[in-house]
Amino acid sequence: RRAGASRLAAEQMIGLSARAPQHRDILLAIDLCEAYVHWSGPETLATAYGVIAWFHWSLGGSTLAEQYAFAALDHDPHHSLAELLVSAIGQGFLPQWLMPEPRRRAPF
């Protein structure tokens, strides 16, 4: 529980970490979640879509991520993860590991 509430865990979960997740692991997770959607009930469908959206966003797939995030919002208009992703995608944000290195300012 302590690790799940730590700053480092949160950064890695929401895309603030500089360390990219393993591409193969993300694709397997997407497959698992998409299979789960067929078995999930209405109370968990929004979360399944939100998680799939995050996985696609973590790979840089903003278009698919946005589609899944909107699907989550169709089932739960207040789904927090989906709202965050729609906002991030709308503002052009990507996970830190996909962003270019910040330019260093020249010393004056």
Side-chain angles (χ1 to χ4, degrees), residues 54-101:
W54 184 89
F55 284 139
H56 279 291
W57 180 74
S58 74
L59 295 174
S62 294
T63 301
L64 276 173
E66 189 173 48
Q67 290 173 1
Y68 276 105
F70 280 127
L73 292 172
D74 285 345
H75 292 279
D76 178 359
H78 304 291
H79 194 272
S80 300
L81 178 58
E83 289 177 333
L84 286 169
L85 286 169
V86 167
S87 177
I89 292 165
Q91 295 179 51
F93 289 116
L94 292 172
Q96 184 173 349
W97 56 81
L98 295 176
M99 298 294 284
E101 291 292 322

mmCIF file of all heavy atoms in Angstrom, residues 54-101:
data_model
loop_
_atom_site.group_PDB
_atom_site.id
_atom_site.type_symbol
_atom_site.label_atom_id
_atom_site.label_comp_id
_atom_site.label_asym_id
_atom_site.label_seq_id
_atom_site.Cartn_x
_atom_site.Cartn_y
_atom_site.Cartn_z
ATOM 1 N N TRP A 54 -5.515 4.688 -21.349
ATOM 2 C CA TRP A 54 -4.218 5.068 -20.799
ATOM 3 C C TRP A 54 -3.093 4.274 -21.450
ATOM 4 O O TRP A 54 -2.039 4.822 -21.786
ATOM 5 C CB TRP A 54 -4.171 4.873 -19.281
ATOM 6 C CG TRP A 54 -2.872 5.370 -18.739
ATOM 7 C CD1 TRP A 54 -2.588 6.636 -18.315
ATOM 8 C CD2 TRP A 54 -1.639 4.637 -18.629
ATOM 9 N NE1 TRP A 54 -1.265 6.718 -17.941
ATOM 10 C CE2 TRP A 54 -0.666 5.516 -18.129
ATOM 11 C CE3 TRP A 54 -1.288 3.330 -18.915
ATOM 12 C CZ2 TRP A 54 0.641 5.122 -17.886
ATOM 13 C CZ3 TRP A 54 0.024 2.940 -18.687
ATOM 14 C CH2 TRP A 54 0.969 3.838 -18.168
ATOM 15 N N PHE A 55 -3.318 2.970 -21.651
ATOM 16 C CA PHE A 55 -2.281 2.148 -22.285
ATOM 17 C C PHE A 55 -1.968 2.653 -23.692
ATOM 18 O O PHE A 55 -0.805 2.761 -24.076
ATOM 19 C CB PHE A 55 -2.690 0.685 -22.331
ATOM 20 C CG PHE A 55 -2.576 -0.031 -21.009
ATOM 21 C CD1 PHE A 55 -3.561 -0.915 -20.605
ATOM 22 C CD2 PHE A 55 -1.489 0.157 -20.173
ATOM 23 C CE1 PHE A 55 -3.461 -1.584 -19.399
ATOM 24 C CE2 PHE A 55 -1.380 -0.503 -18.966
ATOM 25 C CZ PHE A 55 -2.372 -1.382 -18.569
ATOM 26 N N HIS A 56 -2.988 2.971 -24.462
ATOM 27 C CA HIS A 56 -2.745 3.496 -25.812
ATOM 28 C C HIS A 56 -2.017 4.845 -25.745
ATOM 29 O O HIS A 56 -1.099 5.100 -26.524
ATOM 30 C CB HIS A 56 -4.053 3.635 -26.601
ATOM 31 C CG HIS A 56 -4.508 2.355 -27.203
ATOM 32 N ND1 HIS A 56 -3.843 1.731 -28.234
ATOM 33 C CD2 HIS A 56 -5.574 1.558 -26.914
ATOM 34 C CE1 HIS A 56 -4.479 0.617 -28.564
ATOM 35 N NE2 HIS A 56 -5.521 0.489 -27.761
ATOM 36 N N TRP A 57 -2.415 5.692 -24.804
ATOM 37 C CA TRP A 57 -1.753 6.996 -24.639
ATOM 38 C C TRP A 57 -0.293 6.807 -24.260
ATOM 39 O O TRP A 57 0.585 7.519 -24.744
ATOM 40 C CB TRP A 57 -2.500 7.807 -23.583
ATOM 41 C CG TRP A 57 -1.938 9.152 -23.309
ATOM 42 C CD1 TRP A 57 -2.013 10.266 -24.098
ATOM 43 C CD2 TRP A 57 -1.211 9.552 -22.144
ATOM 44 N NE1 TRP A 57 -1.379 11.323 -23.493
ATOM 45 C CE2 TRP A 57 -0.881 10.912 -22.303
ATOM 46 C CE3 TRP A 57 -0.813 8.883 -20.990
ATOM 47 C CZ2 TRP A 57 -0.172 11.621 -21.332
ATOM 48 C CZ3 TRP A 57 -0.104 9.582 -20.029
ATOM 49 C CH2 TRP A 57 0.210 10.941 -20.213
ATOM 50 N N SER A 58 -0.004 5.804 -23.411
ATOM 51 C CA SER A 58 1.374 5.575 -22.972
ATOM 52 C C SER A 58 2.273 5.155 -24.121
ATOM 53 O O SER A 58 3.483 5.328 -24.053
ATOM 54 C CB SER A 58 1.424 4.525 -21.856
ATOM 55 O OG SER A 58 1.197 3.228 -22.373
ATOM 56 N N LEU A 59 1.672 4.625 -25.189
ATOM 57 C CA LEU A 59 2.443 4.246 -26.377
ATOM 58 C C LEU A 59 2.486 5.366 -27.409
ATOM 59 O O LEU A 59 3.103 5.221 -28.455
ATOM 60 C CB LEU A 59 1.846 2.990 -27.017
ATOM 61 C CG LEU A 59 1.918 1.715 -26.194
ATOM 62 C CD1 LEU A 59 1.162 0.597 -26.892
ATOM 63 C CD2 LEU A 59 3.360 1.321 -25.932
ATOM 64 N N GLY A 60 1.807 6.464 -27.129
ATOM 65 C CA GLY A 60 1.781 7.581 -28.069
ATOM 66 C C GLY A 60 0.594 7.541 -29.018
ATOM 67 O O GLY A 60 0.516 8.343 -29.942
ATOM 68 N N GLY A 61 -0.326 6.624 -28.794
ATOM 69 C CA GLY A 61 -1.502 6.494 -29.660
ATOM 70 C C GLY A 61 -2.643 7.371 -29.189
ATOM 71 O O GLY A 61 -3.642 6.882 -28.667
ATOM 72 N N SER A 62 -2.511 8.661 -29.393
ATOM 73 C CA SER A 62 -3.512 9.600 -28.889
ATOM 74 C C SER A 62 -4.888 9.402 -29.509
ATOM 75 O O SER A 62 -5.902 9.571 -28.839
ATOM 76 C CB SER A 62 -3.045 11.039 -29.109
ATOM 77 O OG SER A 62 -1.911 11.300 -28.325
ATOM 78 N N THR A 63 -4.953 9.036 -30.776
ATOM 79 C CA THR A 63 -6.249 8.865 -31.430
ATOM 80 C C THR A 63 -7.024 7.718 -30.801
ATOM 81 O O THR A 63 -8.188 7.880 -30.421
ATOM 82 C CB THR A 63 -6.067 8.633 -32.947
ATOM 83 O OG1 THR A 63 -5.379 9.751 -33.497
ATOM 84 C CG2 THR A 63 -7.407 8.473 -33.638
ATOM 85 N N LEU A 64 -6.392 6.553 -30.670
ATOM 86 C CA LEU A 64 -7.061 5.419 -30.029
ATOM 87 C C LEU A 64 -7.337 5.713 -28.558
ATOM 88 O O LEU A 64 -8.395 5.355 -28.037
ATOM 89 C CB LEU A 64 -6.222 4.156 -30.158
ATOM 90 C CG LEU A 64 -6.373 3.389 -31.457
ATOM 91 C CD1 LEU A 64 -5.360 2.257 -31.533
ATOM 92 C CD2 LEU A 64 -7.775 2.852 -31.612
ATOM 93 N N ALA A 65 -6.397 6.345 -27.906
ATOM 94 C CA ALA A 65 -6.584 6.681 -26.495
ATOM 95 C C ALA A 65 -7.809 7.566 -26.314
ATOM 96 O O ALA A 65 -8.629 7.347 -25.415
ATOM 97 C CB ALA A 65 -5.339 7.381 -25.951
ATOM 98 N N GLU A 66 -7.958 8.553 -27.182
ATOM 99 C CA GLU A 66 -9.098 9.457 -27.073
ATOM 100 C C GLU A 66 -10.410 8.720 -27.323
ATOM 101 O O GLU A 66 -11.398 8.942 -26.628
ATOM 102 C CB GLU A 66 -8.925 10.616 -28.051
ATOM 103 C CG GLU A 66 -9.934 11.718 -27.858
ATOM 104 C CD GLU A 66 -9.624 12.916 -28.722
ATOM 105 O OE1 GLU A 66 -9.372 12.735 -29.933
ATOM 106 O OE2 GLU A 66 -9.628 14.037 -28.172
ATOM 107 N N GLN A 67 -10.430 7.815 -28.287
ATOM 108 C CA GLN A 67 -11.643 7.051 -28.575
ATOM 109 C C GLN A 67 -12.049 6.199 -27.378
ATOM 110 O O GLN A 67 -13.226 6.158 -27.004
ATOM 111 C CB GLN A 67 -11.437 6.172 -29.805
ATOM 112 C CG GLN A 67 -11.339 6.962 -31.093
ATOM 113 C CD GLN A 67 -10.965 6.087 -32.281
ATOM 114 O OE1 GLN A 67 -10.796 4.878 -32.171
ATOM 115 N NE2 GLN A 67 -10.829 6.716 -33.433
ATOM 116 N N TYR A 68 -11.083 5.527 -26.767
ATOM 117 C CA TYR A 68 -11.399 4.712 -25.587
ATOM 118 C C TYR A 68 -11.784 5.592 -24.391
ATOM 119 O O TYR A 68 -12.661 5.216 -23.605
ATOM 120 C CB TYR A 68 -10.224 3.797 -25.227
ATOM 121 C CG TYR A 68 -10.204 2.519 -26.019
ATOM 122 C CD1 TYR A 68 -9.297 2.335 -27.050
ATOM 123 C CD2 TYR A 68 -11.095 1.487 -25.746
ATOM 124 C CE1 TYR A 68 -9.261 1.161 -27.788
ATOM 125 C CE2 TYR A 68 -11.081 0.312 -26.471
ATOM 126 C CZ TYR A 68 -10.159 0.146 -27.486
ATOM 127 O OH TYR A 68 -10.143 -1.021 -28.208
ATOM 128 N N ALA A 69 -11.150 6.732 -24.250
ATOM 129 C CA ALA A 69 -11.509 7.635 -23.152
ATOM 130 C C ALA A 69 -12.947 8.132 -23.316
ATOM 131 O O ALA A 69 -13.704 8.180 -22.346
ATOM 132 C CB ALA A 69 -10.532 8.807 -23.092
ATOM 133 N N PHE A 70 -13.328 8.482 -24.535
ATOM 134 C CA PHE A 70 -14.710 8.903 -24.758
ATOM 135 C C PHE A 70 -15.686 7.748 -24.543
ATOM 136 O O PHE A 70 -16.800 7.955 -24.039
ATOM 137 C CB PHE A 70 -14.888 9.518 -26.145
ATOM 138 C CG PHE A 70 -14.432 10.946 -26.234
ATOM 139 C CD1 PHE A 70 -13.530 11.344 -27.212
ATOM 140 C CD2 PHE A 70 -14.888 11.907 -25.336
ATOM 141 C CE1 PHE A 70 -13.107 12.657 -27.298
ATOM 142 C CE2 PHE A 70 -14.469 13.221 -25.401
ATOM 143 C CZ PHE A 70 -13.570 13.605 -26.385
ATOM 144 N N ALA A 71 -15.277 6.527 -24.880
ATOM 145 C CA ALA A 71 -16.131 5.359 -24.604
ATOM 146 C C ALA A 71 -16.329 5.203 -23.097
ATOM 147 O O ALA A 71 -17.439 4.912 -22.633
ATOM 148 C CB ALA A 71 -15.516 4.098 -25.200
ATOM 149 N N ALA A 72 -15.255 5.431 -22.323
ATOM 150 C CA ALA A 72 -15.379 5.376 -20.862
ATOM 151 C C ALA A 72 -16.344 6.448 -20.366
ATOM 152 O O ALA A 72 -17.197 6.186 -19.510
ATOM 153 C CB ALA A 72 -14.007 5.549 -20.213
ATOM 154 N N LEU A 73 -16.229 7.645 -20.923
ATOM 155 C CA LEU A 73 -17.106 8.746 -20.494
ATOM 156 C C LEU A 73 -18.549 8.514 -20.910
ATOM 157 O O LEU A 73 -19.473 9.008 -20.254
ATOM 158 C CB LEU A 73 -16.586 10.075 -21.035
ATOM 159 C CG LEU A 73 -15.260 10.543 -20.434
ATOM 160 C CD1 LEU A 73 -14.730 11.762 -21.174
ATOM 161 C CD2 LEU A 73 -15.414 10.824 -18.949
ATOM 162 N N ASP A 74 -18.774 7.768 -21.983
ATOM 163 C CA ASP A 74 -20.144 7.410 -22.365
ATOM 164 C C ASP A 74 -20.801 6.547 -21.291
ATOM 165 O O ASP A 74 -22.006 6.627 -21.078
ATOM 166 C CB ASP A 74 -20.159 6.647 -23.698
ATOM 167 C CG ASP A 74 -19.929 7.551 -24.896
ATOM 168 O OD1 ASP A 74 -20.035 8.800 -24.748
ATOM 169 O OD2 ASP A 74 -19.630 7.013 -25.986
ATOM 170 N N HIS A 75 -19.990 5.721 -20.609
ATOM 171 C CA HIS A 75 -20.525 4.838 -19.566
ATOM 172 C C HIS A 75 -20.516 5.489 -18.193
ATOM 173 O O HIS A 75 -21.314 5.122 -17.337
ATOM 174 C CB HIS A 75 -19.743 3.526 -19.531
ATOM 175 C CG HIS A 75 -19.958 2.693 -20.744
ATOM 176 N ND1 HIS A 75 -21.068 1.893 -20.903
ATOM 177 C CD2 HIS A 75 -19.247 2.566 -21.883
ATOM 178 C CE1 HIS A 75 -21.021 1.300 -22.072
ATOM 179 N NE2 HIS A 75 -19.917 1.693 -22.695
ATOM 180 N N ASP A 76 -19.606 6.423 -17.990
ATOM 181 C CA ASP A 76 -19.522 7.151 -16.717
ATOM 182 C C ASP A 76 -19.004 8.556 -17.019
ATOM 183 O O ASP A 76 -17.806 8.758 -17.185
ATOM 184 C CB ASP A 76 -18.575 6.433 -15.755
ATOM 185 C CG ASP A 76 -18.396 7.172 -14.430
ATOM 186 O OD1 ASP A 76 -18.994 8.263 -14.239
ATOM 187 O OD2 ASP A 76 -17.644 6.657 -13.574
ATOM 188 N N PRO A 77 -19.910 9.534 -17.105
ATOM 189 C CA PRO A 77 -19.518 10.890 -17.490
ATOM 190 C C PRO A 77 -18.514 11.557 -16.550
ATOM 191 O O PRO A 77 -17.945 12.585 -16.890
ATOM 192 C CB PRO A 77 -20.833 11.661 -17.493
ATOM 193 C CG PRO A 77 -21.904 10.642 -17.510
ATOM 194 C CD PRO A 77 -21.341 9.398 -16.921
ATOM 195 N N HIS A 78 -18.279 10.973 -15.377
ATOM 196 C CA HIS A 78 -17.354 11.559 -14.401
ATOM 197 C C HIS A 78 -16.148 10.652 -14.146
ATOM 198 O O HIS A 78 -15.521 10.745 -13.091
ATOM 199 C CB HIS A 78 -18.081 11.849 -13.095
ATOM 200 C CG HIS A 78 -19.274 12.728 -13.288
ATOM 201 N ND1 HIS A 78 -19.169 14.059 -13.633
ATOM 202 C CD2 HIS A 78 -20.600 12.456 -13.223
ATOM 203 C CE1 HIS A 78 -20.382 14.571 -13.763
ATOM 204 N NE2 HIS A 78 -21.262 13.620 -13.531
ATOM 205 N N HIS A 79 -15.832 9.800 -15.099
ATOM 206 C CA HIS A 79 -14.703 8.888 -14.923
ATOM 207 C C HIS A 79 -13.405 9.699 -14.926
ATOM 208 O O HIS A 79 -13.030 10.304 -15.932
ATOM 209 C CB HIS A 79 -14.694 7.826 -16.027
ATOM 210 C CG HIS A 79 -13.786 6.695 -15.735
ATOM 211 N ND1 HIS A 79 -12.454 6.710 -16.082
ATOM 212 C CD2 HIS A 79 -14.006 5.522 -15.092
ATOM 213 C CE1 HIS A 79 -11.902 5.586 -15.684
ATOM 214 N NE2 HIS A 79 -12.822 4.848 -15.082
ATOM 215 N N SER A 80 -12.712 9.721 -13.804
ATOM 216 C CA SER A 80 -11.550 10.603 -13.606
ATOM 217 C C SER A 80 -10.417 10.334 -14.588
ATOM 218 O O SER A 80 -9.855 11.272 -15.155
ATOM 219 C CB SER A 80 -11.019 10.469 -12.183
ATOM 220 O OG SER A 80 -12.007 10.826 -11.258
ATOM 221 N N LEU A 81 -10.044 9.079 -14.760
ATOM 222 C CA LEU A 81 -8.936 8.775 -15.662
ATOM 223 C C LEU A 81 -9.274 9.194 -17.088
ATOM 224 O O LEU A 81 -8.452 9.814 -17.770
ATOM 225 C CB LEU A 81 -8.601 7.280 -15.618
ATOM 226 C CG LEU A 81 -7.490 6.799 -16.555
ATOM 227 C CD1 LEU A 81 -6.179 7.539 -16.281
ATOM 228 C CD2 LEU A 81 -7.309 5.291 -16.423
ATOM 229 N N ALA A 82 -10.475 8.910 -17.537
ATOM 230 C CA ALA A 82 -10.890 9.292 -18.885
ATOM 231 C C ALA A 82 -10.897 10.815 -19.036
ATOM 232 O O ALA A 82 -10.457 11.342 -20.064
ATOM 233 C CB ALA A 82 -12.265 8.713 -19.205
ATOM 234 N N GLU A 83 -11.381 11.525 -18.026
ATOM 235 C CA GLU A 83 -11.375 12.988 -18.080
ATOM 236 C C GLU A 83 -9.952 13.529 -18.183
ATOM 237 O O GLU A 83 -9.680 14.451 -18.964
ATOM 238 C CB GLU A 83 -12.061 13.574 -16.843
ATOM 239 C CG GLU A 83 -13.556 13.384 -16.827
ATOM 240 C CD GLU A 83 -14.192 13.913 -15.551
ATOM 241 O OE1 GLU A 83 -13.518 13.962 -14.491
ATOM 242 O OE2 GLU A 83 -15.373 14.277 -15.609
ATOM 243 N N LEU A 84 -9.034 12.960 -17.393
ATOM 244 C CA LEU A 84 -7.637 13.396 -17.438
ATOM 245 C C LEU A 84 -7.018 13.148 -18.807
ATOM 246 O O LEU A 84 -6.311 14.005 -19.341
ATOM 247 C CB LEU A 84 -6.814 12.670 -16.375
ATOM 248 C CG LEU A 84 -7.027 13.105 -14.939
ATOM 249 C CD1 LEU A 84 -6.342 12.125 -13.997
ATOM 250 C CD2 LEU A 84 -6.487 14.503 -14.726
ATOM 251 N N LEU A 85 -7.302 11.987 -19.377
ATOM 252 C CA LEU A 85 -6.730 11.663 -20.682
ATOM 253 C C LEU A 85 -7.282 12.555 -21.783
ATOM 254 O O LEU A 85 -6.534 13.041 -22.628
ATOM 255 C CB LEU A 85 -6.967 10.195 -21.011
ATOM 256 C CG LEU A 85 -6.094 9.223 -20.227
ATOM 257 C CD1 LEU A 85 -6.581 7.795 -20.408
ATOM 258 C CD2 LEU A 85 -4.650 9.360 -20.627
ATOM 259 N N VAL A 86 -8.584 12.788 -21.777
ATOM 260 C CA VAL A 86 -9.175 13.668 -22.791
ATOM 261 C C VAL A 86 -8.557 15.057 -22.693
ATOM 262 O O VAL A 86 -8.213 15.680 -23.704
ATOM 263 C CB VAL A 86 -10.712 13.717 -22.656
ATOM 264 C CG1 VAL A 86 -11.304 14.845 -23.472
ATOM 265 C CG2 VAL A 86 -11.322 12.380 -23.074
ATOM 266 N N SER A 87 -8.369 15.533 -21.475
ATOM 267 C CA SER A 87 -7.756 16.843 -21.275
ATOM 268 C C SER A 87 -6.298 16.847 -21.753
ATOM 269 O O SER A 87 -5.870 17.763 -22.465
ATOM 270 C CB SER A 87 -7.825 17.231 -19.802
ATOM 271 O OG SER A 87 -7.185 18.453 -19.581
ATOM 272 N N ALA A 88 -5.530 15.838 -21.357
ATOM 273 C CA ALA A 88 -4.120 15.766 -21.754
ATOM 274 C C ALA A 88 -3.976 15.681 -23.270
ATOM 275 O O ALA A 88 -3.156 16.388 -23.865
ATOM 276 C CB ALA A 88 -3.443 14.567 -21.087
ATOM 277 N N ILE A 89 -4.787 14.846 -23.894
ATOM 278 C CA ILE A 89 -4.720 14.685 -25.346
ATOM 279 C C ILE A 89 -5.133 15.976 -26.037
ATOM 280 O O ILE A 89 -4.486 16.415 -26.990
ATOM 281 C CB ILE A 89 -5.599 13.498 -25.794
ATOM 282 C CG1 ILE A 89 -4.992 12.187 -25.281
ATOM 283 C CG2 ILE A 89 -5.748 13.472 -27.311
ATOM 284 C CD1 ILE A 89 -5.932 11.007 -25.346
ATOM 285 N N GLY A 90 -6.175 16.605 -25.537
ATOM 286 C CA GLY A 90 -6.640 17.862 -26.114
ATOM 287 C C GLY A 90 -5.602 18.970 -26.050
ATOM 288 O O GLY A 90 -5.550 19.846 -26.914
ATOM 289 N N GLN A 91 -4.754 18.910 -25.010
ATOM 290 C CA GLN A 91 -3.705 19.917 -24.855
ATOM 291 C C GLN A 91 -2.380 19.487 -25.486
ATOM 292 O O GLN A 91 -1.391 20.200 -25.408
ATOM 293 C CB GLN A 91 -3.496 20.210 -23.370
ATOM 294 C CG GLN A 91 -4.716 20.841 -22.729
ATOM 295 C CD GLN A 91 -4.497 21.091 -21.260
ATOM 296 O OE1 GLN A 91 -3.499 21.685 -20.867
ATOM 297 N NE2 GLN A 91 -5.424 20.633 -20.432
ATOM 298 N N GLY A 92 -2.381 18.306 -26.100
ATOM 299 C CA GLY A 92 -1.183 17.838 -26.784
ATOM 300 C C GLY A 92 -0.123 17.231 -25.883
ATOM 301 O O GLY A 92 1.022 17.096 -26.290
ATOM 302 N N PHE A 93 -0.498 16.845 -24.664
ATOM 303 C CA PHE A 93 0.466 16.248 -23.747
ATOM 304 C C PHE A 93 0.654 14.774 -24.056
ATOM 305 O O PHE A 93 -0.294 14.064 -24.356
ATOM 306 C CB PHE A 93 0.022 16.383 -22.292
ATOM 307 C CG PHE A 93 0.099 17.778 -21.767
ATOM 308 C CD1 PHE A 93 -1.047 18.434 -21.374
ATOM 309 C CD2 PHE A 93 1.315 18.426 -21.666
ATOM 310 C CE1 PHE A 93 -0.984 19.723 -20.884
ATOM 311 C CE2 PHE A 93 1.389 19.723 -21.176
ATOM 312 C CZ PHE A 93 0.230 20.370 -20.787
ATOM 313 N N LEU A 94 1.893 14.339 -23.960
ATOM 314 C CA LEU A 94 2.252 12.935 -24.061
ATOM 315 C C LEU A 94 2.949 12.542 -22.761
ATOM 316 O O LEU A 94 3.380 13.413 -22.000
ATOM 317 C CB LEU A 94 3.221 12.718 -25.226
ATOM 318 C CG LEU A 94 2.662 12.914 -26.629
ATOM 319 C CD1 LEU A 94 3.791 12.866 -27.648
ATOM 320 C CD2 LEU A 94 1.616 11.857 -26.936
ATOM 321 N N PRO A 95 3.086 11.251 -22.500
ATOM 322 C CA PRO A 95 3.879 10.861 -21.334
ATOM 323 C C PRO A 95 5.293 11.427 -21.451
ATOM 324 O O PRO A 95 5.806 11.618 -22.558
ATOM 325 C CB PRO A 95 3.906 9.329 -21.417
ATOM 326 C CG PRO A 95 2.758 8.962 -22.272
ATOM 327 C CD PRO A 95 2.563 10.096 -23.220
ATOM 328 N N GLN A 96 5.916 11.668 -20.329
ATOM 329 C CA GLN A 96 7.238 12.294 -20.322
ATOM 330 C C GLN A 96 8.235 11.490 -21.148
ATOM 331 O O GLN A 96 9.092 12.060 -21.811
ATOM 332 C CB GLN A 96 7.742 12.457 -18.897
ATOM 333 C CG GLN A 96 9.065 13.194 -18.836
ATOM 334 C CD GLN A 96 9.493 13.508 -17.414
ATOM 335 O OE1 GLN A 96 8.726 13.361 -16.486
ATOM 336 N NE2 GLN A 96 10.719 13.911 -17.253
ATOM 337 N N TRP A 97 8.129 10.157 -21.138
ATOM 338 C CA TRP A 97 9.103 9.354 -21.872
ATOM 339 C C TRP A 97 8.964 9.509 -23.381
ATOM 340 O O TRP A 97 9.838 9.102 -24.118
ATOM 341 C CB TRP A 97 9.033 7.879 -21.486
ATOM 342 C CG TRP A 97 7.686 7.257 -21.649
ATOM 343 C CD1 TRP A 97 7.129 6.775 -22.807
ATOM 344 C CD2 TRP A 97 6.726 7.038 -20.636
ATOM 345 N NE1 TRP A 97 5.879 6.280 -22.576
ATOM 346 C CE2 TRP A 97 5.602 6.427 -21.238
ATOM 347 C CE3 TRP A 97 6.685 7.300 -19.273
ATOM 348 C CZ2 TRP A 97 4.468 6.073 -20.517
ATOM 349 C CZ3 TRP A 97 5.552 6.940 -18.572
ATOM 350 C CH2 TRP A 97 4.475 6.339 -19.191
ATOM 351 N N LEU A 98 7.887 10.107 -23.869
ATOM 352 C CA LEU A 98 7.724 10.353 -25.298
ATOM 353 C C LEU A 98 7.989 11.805 -25.678
ATOM 354 O O LEU A 98 7.985 12.142 -26.858
ATOM 355 C CB LEU A 98 6.308 9.969 -25.747
ATOM 356 C CG LEU A 98 5.965 8.486 -25.637
ATOM 357 C CD1 LEU A 98 4.508 8.257 -26.020
ATOM 358 C CD2 LEU A 98 6.886 7.646 -26.486
ATOM 359 N N MET A 99 8.198 12.635 -24.688
ATOM 360 C CA MET A 99 8.454 14.054 -24.948
ATOM 361 C C MET A 99 9.931 14.262 -25.256
ATOM 362 O O MET A 99 10.790 13.578 -24.711
ATOM 363 C CB MET A 99 8.061 14.902 -23.735
ATOM 364 C CG MET A 99 6.590 14.820 -23.384
ATOM 365 S SD MET A 99 5.512 15.519 -24.622
ATOM 366 C CE MET A 99 5.766 17.243 -24.307
ATOM 367 N N PRO A 100 10.238 15.219 -26.129
ATOM 368 C CA PRO A 100 11.650 15.510 -26.390
ATOM 369 C C PRO A 100 12.307 16.084 -25.142
ATOM 370 O O PRO A 100 11.642 16.660 -24.289
ATOM 371 C CB PRO A 100 11.606 16.546 -27.525
ATOM 372 C CG PRO A 100 10.225 17.104 -27.483
ATOM 373 C CD PRO A 100 9.333 16.061 -26.879
ATOM 374 N N GLU A 101 13.594 15.899 -25.070
ATOM 375 C CA GLU A 101 14.352 16.449 -23.953
ATOM 376 C C GLU A 101 14.198 17.961 -23.921
ATOM 377 O O GLU A 101 14.271 18.598 -24.975
ATOM 378 C CB GLU A 101 15.831 16.085 -24.070
ATOM 379 C CG GLU A 101 16.115 14.620 -23.860
ATOM 380 C CD GLU A 101 15.874 14.188 -22.433
ATOM 381 O OE1 GLU A 101 16.178 14.954 -21.502
ATOM 382 O OE2 GLU A 101 15.373 13.063 -22.260
#
